[in-house]
Amino acid sequence: MNSQYHERLKTLLDNILPNTSPYNIFKELDDEFWLWLHIEGVKLEDSLKEYLPGVPDDQIQLGFTGQTGTANLNAGFLGYRLFRDLSQQYSSTPLRKQKVLDFGCGWGRIVRFFQKDIHPDNLWGCDVMELAQDQFLSTHTDRWTNFLRNQMLPPIDFQDSSFDLIYLNSIFSHLSEEAHYMWLNEFERILKPNGLLIATTWGKEFIRHCEHIRNAGIEGRSVYEEEIANIFRDTRNSISSFDKGNFLFAPSPTNGNLNIQYYGHACIPKDYILNHWPTKFEFIEYIEDQAIYPQNVIVVRSR
């Protein structure tokens, strides 16, 4: 397979015309080869780095996601395929004609893969962290993806009805009930009619994970593990509350510059979505299957 990919890479590079956008260079590639280019191809051909974003140093990657290298890119690609496939399934607008926002994009490990699907004018990432903006610049992700630095709470500097798709990877797993509700209203404003909002959140498996970390003992715990070992301490009652459709939130005291009133660890059940999200959104799907994705996935459409 690798030798076949080497030949495909050579053919691909031989046929690139000057000043061609990745949107046009890579648009016909299958998923497996597209991912291989980001992980292995750039190691073989330096010229490929002119068309693909770089990656941050390992320490910065760890700070954002707790992963580095191949594992990090594989996780980013998993998110890309999830959001892309759900958009293709539920949107009436073809993917290549959509305007897309990665809300809370970090250093861009997911949005980078959309550059073969979405024209650079229509591809956006935003994040509250200055470090994310710095990494967009240093990895040259900004060549093919626009970046906007947002504040912790709305508003955000986009016009009404701007986007066909807004996706949030592991953002609603951290925002408080008040903060996430404020952003829901803002997303309703900047989504086009019939636009899709796809967000991931913690489910009750995370509550069980907190208990597992707690029971494993303190030796060798990371700062993050120490924090989650001390939340949702009453596992049974927390899961019961989740099953009753309640929003669960535990503030994070180790979140850096983010306000603990709004930032921590959140679990949002399906019944909460059905009963409490604004009626301006049409509920489509709630995926609660870790074989599909590590977090629960919420899919709604603006009316």
Side-chain angles (χ1 to χ4, degrees), residues 55 76 151 246:
V55 296
Q151 300 301 310
N246 294 318

Side-chain angles (χ1 to χ4, degrees), residues 97-289:
K97 294 184 178 180
Q98 291 185 23
K99 188 171 182 180
V100 175
L101 172 63
D102 181 331
F103 183 88
C105 62
W107 58 266
R109 70 169 182 164
I110 292 177
V111 74
R112 64 185 288 133
F113 293 109
F114 274 98
Q115 71 181 59
K116 80 178 183 72
D117 305 307
I118 307 297
H119 190 278
D121 291 346
N122 293 327
L123 188 58
W124 285 82
C126 69
D127 202 281
V128 70
M129 297 179 65
E130 183 178 1
L131 182 59
Q133 184 173 20
D134 293 342
Q135 294 310 305
F136 247 70
L137 296 173
S138 65
T139 60
H140 307 298
T141 305
D142 64 315
R143 291 179 183 174
W144 307 287
T145 304
N146 302 284
F147 183 89
L148 176 72
R149 177 103 181 269
N150 63 280
Q151 300 301 310
M152 186 71 194
L153 298 176
I156 193 169
D157 193 17
F158 290 120
Q159 295 182 352
D160 294 359
S161 303
S162 290
F163 295 99
D164 299 282
L165 169 64
I166 300 174
Y167 66 85
L168 298 79
N169 185 71
S170 194
I171 303 300
F172 278 0
S173 55
H174 293 290
L175 295 185
S176 69
E177 185 173 17
E178 179 184 6
H180 107 280
Y181 207 88
M182 293 172 70
W183 278 112
L184 280 175
N185 288 324
E186 187 71 348
F187 296 149
E188 189 277 330
R189 181 185 69 79
I190 64 175
L191 271 172
K192 296 178 183 179
N194 298 314
L196 289 181
L197 174 65
I198 308 174
T200 73
T201 182
W202 292 128
K204 57 188 171 185
E205 288 304 316
F206 178 71
I207 299 170
R208 295 190 180 103
H209 178 62
C210 293
E211 180 183 44
H212 171 76
I213 296 297
R214 199 157 45 242
N215 292 339
I218 63 173
E219 185 176 354
R221 277 185 191 167
S222 66
V223 173
Y224 173 75
E225 288 172 334
E226 184 66 31
E227 177 175 295
I228 66 173
N230 287 291
I231 62 175
F232 306 130
R233 295 190 66 88
D234 189 332
T235 304
R236 179 178 296 181
N237 282 340
S238 294
I239 290 176
S240 175
S241 182
F242 181 92
D243 287 340
K244 291 175 182 176
N246 294 318
F247 189 112
L248 275 67
F249 177 72
S252 169
T254 61
N255 61 53
N257 296 323
L258 301 177
N259 190 325
I260 63 172
Q261 179 181 351
Y262 303 118
Y263 188 87
H265 303 277
C267 306
I268 310 176
K270 177 181 177 179
D271 283 350
Y272 182 91
I273 308 298
L274 294 172
N275 294 325
H276 296 283
W277 274 30
T279 56
K280 298 169 185 176
F281 290 110
E282 172 195 359
F283 176 83
I284 297 178
E285 188 174 6
Y286 185 93
I287 302 170
E288 194 171 7
D289 185 348

